[in-house]
Amino acid sequence: MDYDGQLQLYAAVAVRLKEAHATVRALQVPEGVRMALTRKLLVITAAAKHDPAAANRRLERFIADLDEDRIPGEEL
């Protein structure tokens, strides 16, 4: 991947992470569940510093799980 492509990927992941954090904050779930989801986002954030493509894939799965109401620890 060229330098410009790498920067675009970093920017895209950063925007999606910000949106994901806002989504997690808005969820009506117990505080323990919110903390667990926030920790997952922090792990993805750390991974983005070293491998933005892998972090992007993990973030996509995380968001898909939220969209499908697959929230760990939540009794649905």
Side-chain angles (χ1 to χ4, degrees):
M1 182 179 292
D2 64 357
Y3 183 73
D4 287 337
Q6 189 79 0
L7 286 178
Q8 290 176 347
L9 182 56
Y10 275 122
V13 170
V15 168
R16 303 271 332 253
L17 278 166
K18 185 176 180 179
E19 292 169 353
H21 276 282
T23 299
V24 167
R25 279 193 308 275
L27 289 175
Q28 298 295 317
V29 296
E31 188 60 28
V33 172
R34 186 181 333 281
M35 288 173 56
L37 293 171
T38 299
R39 278 192 298 272
K40 286 185 177 195
L41 285 173
L42 291 174
V43 168
I44 294 169
T45 301
K49 296 174 185 176
H50 304 286
D51 189 351
N56 189 50
R57 289 189 298 273
R58 291 175 74 175
L59 184 57
E60 290 290 331
R61 285 192 304 271
F62 180 88
I63 292 170
D65 286 345
L66 288 182
D67 289 346
E68 296 291 324
D69 291 327
R70 292 186 301 241
I71 300 173
E74 167 113 315
E75 300 299 325
L76 298 176

